[in-house]
Amino acid sequence: MSTFPLTVAVITHNEAENIARCLDSIPFAAEKLVVDSGSDDDTVAIAQAHGARVVHQDWLGFGPQRNFATTQCTHDWILVLDADEYLTPELAAELQQRLPELMASAAPAAYLRRSTIYMGQPMRWYRPAVGERMARLYHRERARWSDSRVHESLRFDGTAPTLQAPFNHVNNPTLPHKQLKVLRYAELKCRDWRDKGKPVRMWQAPFVFVLAFLKDYLLRLAFMDGWRGFMIAQTAASYALYKRMRYYEMVNNPKSVADATDLLNKHHMDR
């Protein structure tokens, strides 16, 4: 198979169960780069065995970590995946067909569509999990990741084409995995809010939970996916509420920031 001057960039921490599948789904990339933040499992060895160059970088937050990875890439065009994501054969074929034209153009980036596998099965109706459009392919001189600790996004000017075939996301293999991620992501998001001086508006909290649940369950069609859809909507609403409660605590009891950091560090979650 011919290769393209493209770097696949993956940031990792303890992804031994996922990294091989991710890297093997992109056989046409000239370079595979893994930026690891201190895994204590076999992530690094497995990544190297599957053709990746591994660079260590202590955790900076999602946005800064991705921007660091960009600086380590050999090629200007970069495809970003998480370790629990992988290309479908259909998307791999579409990329091989469209990459020459895209790379010769002045486009800053391209959108890919992500499909989610939740509780071992693909979501069929829930809109954010079926063909969600995400900017993941970009030219490093024309695009940059936001500096957010979590929920980072690729920033660029101009228009970007959209590829049609999806890539897959194996989202949180169990509910405990999901709850731990919610806890970690909420802490990171609240730190961003604190740095920006976001006002505390606890009066919104009850409405936030109800509206977030109804948005996902009804408007985004989670109810069509049965009980799995209900669980996704409930988790999203709980996350929206918990963020606001935790931020209220951060502002009103600043000592809680250090106390929570110590606890998260004990469980290797403050990253």
Side-chain angles (χ1 to χ4, degrees):
M1 179 180 295
S2 60
T3 61
F4 296 90
L6 171 76
T7 296
V8 175
V10 187
I11 59 176
T12 60
H13 182 264
N14 290 344
E15 293 287 357
E17 293 184 7
N18 296 316
I19 190 62
R21 179 185 58 204
C22 174
L23 295 173
D24 290 349
S25 73
I26 320 121
F28 51 84
E31 180 182 44
K32 298 175 183 180
L33 172 72
V34 168
V35 175
D36 188 78
S37 56
S39 295
D40 55 16
D41 63 3
D42 292 331
T43 297
V44 171
I46 293 171
Q48 292 171 334
H50 288 260
R53 175 168 62 92
V54 179
V55 175
H56 173 82
Q57 172 59 52
D58 290 341
W59 185 246
L60 303 170
F62 280 97
Q65 195 83 352
R66 293 201 195 279
N67 282 325
F68 172 80
T70 296
T71 69
Q72 302 301 300
C73 295
T74 301
H75 302 288
D76 287 334
W77 278 97
I78 300 168
L79 172 63
V80 163
L81 291 176
D82 291 335
D84 60 358
E85 298 171 340
Y86 60 96
L87 302 191
T88 60
E90 293 79 12
L91 179 56
E94 185 178 1
L95 279 166
Q96 290 175 79
Q97 180 181 8
R98 296 186 62 178
L99 274 173
E101 179 182 358
L102 178 65
M103 290 178 163
S105 74
Y111 290 98
L112 307 183
R113 295 189 180 277
R114 184 171 76 171
S115 294
T116 295
I117 298 169
Y118 183 65
M119 292 188 173
Q121 301 176 47
M123 299 299 288
R124 299 296 185 188
W125 294 95
Y126 178 53
R127 292 173 65 185
V130 181
E132 179 183 14
R133 209 169 68 118
M134 311 183 80
R136 290 294 193 86
L137 177 62
Y138 62 100
H139 190 290
R140 65 175 165 190
E141 294 182 359
R142 304 169 195 164
R144 186 180 187 278
W145 293 93
S146 63
D147 288 322
S148 303
R149 288 185 176 93
V150 70
H151 303 314
E152 74 286 5
S153 60
L154 190 65
R155 306 289 178 82
F156 54 88
D157 296 321
T159 58
T162 300
L163 281 75
Q164 296 306 310
F167 66 100
N168 284 334
H169 176 212
V170 183
N171 182 24
N172 303 302
T174 69
L175 284 175
H177 285 82
K178 179 63 175 178
Q179 293 303 316
L180 290 173
K181 181 178 285 189
V182 163
L183 181 66
R184 177 187 170 213
Y185 278 21
E187 195 73 12
L188 296 175
K189 190 63 178 178
C190 289
R191 291 176 188 174
D192 279 346
W193 286 350
R194 182 191 56 178
D195 291 348
K196 295 174 182 177
K198 179 183 172 71
V200 177
R201 299 190 178 98
M202 273 302 291
W203 63 269
Q204 296 178 344
F207 306 103
V208 163
F209 180 87
V210 172
L211 292 175
F213 179 83
L214 292 176
K215 179 178 73 174
D216 273 10
Y217 195 63
L218 297 179
L219 298 182
R220 292 179 168 177
L221 304 182
F223 73 95
M224 297 286 288
D225 277 304
W227 285 114
R228 291 187 304 140
F230 176 86
M231 294 175 193
I232 279 185
Q234 190 278 336
T235 302
S238 296
Y239 172 62
L241 175 59
Y242 176 76
K243 280 188 300 185
R244 285 154 179 84
M245 295 191 301
R246 176 62 182 128
Y247 186 55
Y248 174 88
E249 182 182 34
M250 278 188 177
V251 172
N252 287 275
N253 180 18
K255 183 177 180 295
S256 71
V257 178
D259 290 343
T261 298
D262 290 343
L263 178 63
L264 292 170
N265 276 326
K266 288 179 182 178
H267 295 279
H268 307 288
M269 291 176 58
D270 192 33
R271 54 168 303 280

